Amino acid sequence: MKRLLLALIIMVVVLSPIYSASTNTDNSGFAITYGETTYSNPSYKNTVLNYFESHTSRNVNEANSKVVTAAEVNEISKDITGRTYPSSQIFSCAMVDLSYSQGIKVVVDNSKITVVTSKMYATALKSTGIENGYVVVTSPVSATGESALTGVLKSYEIAVGTPIPEEAKQAATESLYTESQIADQTGHDPDKIAELFDQAQQEAKNQNLQDPAQIKAIVINIAANLNINLTDAQAQQIADAIANSQKAQDSLTDFKNQLELATQQASQSQGIIQQIINYLQSFVDYIMSFI
């Protein structure tokens, strides 16, 4: 028994530096952003952290974290939505984990986020070339979720270690805002409108289109296939948003390259950690079989 225990101690000592090197990196691909109102309120912050903890197996205290201010939100949204927010109304928070590499998965706290859905966030993120990552969005109080996109984008910047060009952020914000508007105006399920955006955006990408007139024809065709009735003005609004997203793609080359690299590194790091955990568990099980 003493020999088995000694072997266990030796193994833990040997593997600890490997585990530490795998988890403690400056760019871990794991980030959290807090709305400034939430961050300044300990009760609100604790509520948000509890929600994040319940939706990840990672230690949220190890995430790189930043605060999103009203000034940052307004800088992106003011010319698109026409809305500005005081510092007392920035509640939404976001978590991004790049170790998830099977596409993009967005979890939205529907008990708090009342307007923007998971698919709407995913569609807006794709407009900036983001197609990988695990995203969680929540708030300590009821919120529409529109301003939360700023936090999600900032979380990606932190996780990747590279800024997203301003024109791409504005395009993503315009996409999300337009989705919300069209869903409200038509009465259609927001996810169905997001699907319209997603398909039209993908087709514009495939054909490398930036002309709103050409994109509008695609929007009208896809809307008909999805049984979505749009006015001419609504089809034009969607086409304009997608055209702006297409025009922003050239500025995103560096970010998308760094995103791909950071995703690979984060995925590999978590894979190593899981292997260590599995090995430790099998060794403990082996020892326990002798007790």
Side-chain angles (χ1 to χ4, degrees):
M1 175 57 70
K2 289 182 178 179
R3 289 181 178 178
L4 287 172
L5 290 175
L6 178 60
L8 177 60
I9 292 171
I10 292 173
M11 184 182 69
V12 170
V13 170
V14 169
L15 291 178
S16 289
I18 300 174
Y19 179 84
S20 178
S22 300
T23 57
N24 297 316
T25 59
D26 292 334
N27 184 14
S28 66
F30 187 39
I32 290 175
T33 51
Y34 301 94
E36 64 175 310
T37 316
T38 297
Y39 188 79
S40 63
N41 185 312
S43 178
Y44 285 170
K45 185 179 179 184
N46 188 58
T47 297
V48 166
L49 277 175
N50 286 338
Y51 187 81
F52 286 150
E53 286 178 342
S54 69
H55 286 79
T56 182
S57 60
R58 300 188 68 174
N59 184 349
V60 296
N61 294 315
E62 294 179 353
N64 295 317
S65 63
K66 298 288 183 181
V67 176
V68 176
T69 66
E72 291 174 294
V73 173
N74 295 336
E75 182 64 28
I76 298 172
S77 68
K78 64 182 180 181
D79 295 329
I80 296 169
T81 69
R83 300 174 185 172
T84 56
Y85 302 85
S87 58
S88 60
Q89 292 184 2
I90 307 300
F91 296 100
S92 300
C93 303
M95 179 179 74
V96 167
D97 182 1
L98 295 183
S99 66
Y100 181 85
S101 57
Q102 287 79 49
I104 186 166
K105 180 178 180 179
V106 183
V107 174
V108 173
D109 183 355
N110 294 318
S111 69
K112 296 294 193 298
I113 306 299
T114 61
V115 173
V116 185
T117 67
S118 297
K119 189 166 182 60
M120 291 169 72
Y121 280 121
T123 301
L125 289 172
K126 287 179 181 179
S127 71
T128 64
I130 295 174
E131 299 189 8
N132 284 96
Y134 175 59
V135 182
V136 181
V137 181
T138 187
S139 170
V141 300
S142 180
T144 64
E146 290 178 342
S147 65
L149 182 62
T150 302
V152 175
L153 293 173
K154 187 167 186 174
S155 291
Y156 266 98
E157 289 181 316
I158 298 166
V160 174
T162 301
I164 299 172
E166 288 303 313
E167 63 181 295
K169 292 180 184 179
Q170 291 177 350
T173 302
E174 182 183 7
S175 175
L176 187 67
Y177 179 63
T178 304
E179 288 178 70
S180 298
Q181 277 197 315
I182 300 299
D184 183 60
Q185 292 169 3
T186 63
H188 282 291
D189 186 302
D191 282 347
K192 193 169 185 179
I193 300 300
E195 180 61 26
L196 166 60
F197 263 82
D198 197 24
Q199 289 189 28
Q201 191 166 267
Q202 187 60 49
E203 187 60 31
K205 178 182 177 181
N206 292 342
Q207 296 186 37
N208 193 28
L209 300 178
Q210 294 185 6
D211 181 4
Q214 293 177 298
I215 296 173
K216 182 180 177 181
I218 292 172
V219 170
I220 292 172
N221 183 56
I222 294 174
N225 292 336
L226 294 174
N227 295 316
I228 298 174
N229 295 319
L230 297 175
T231 66
D232 185 73
Q234 288 168 342
Q236 187 65 60
Q237 187 179 3
I238 295 171
D240 288 342
I242 294 174
N244 288 335
S245 170
Q246 285 291 100
K247 292 172 184 175
Q249 295 308 303
D250 289 342
S251 69
L252 284 163
T253 301
D254 183 54
F255 174 77
K256 287 191 285 189
N257 289 339
Q258 292 302 316
L259 172 61
E260 182 178 358
L261 178 62
T263 299
Q264 291 174 351
Q265 291 175 338
S267 180
Q268 291 170 358
S269 176
Q270 287 303 299
I272 292 172
I273 292 170
Q274 190 58 53
Q275 289 177 29
I276 293 173
I277 291 173
N278 292 341
Y279 188 76
L280 284 171
Q281 184 61 56
S282 64
F283 193 81
V284 170
D285 290 342
Y286 173 74
I287 291 176
M288 294 301 292
S289 68
F290 288 91
I291 299 177

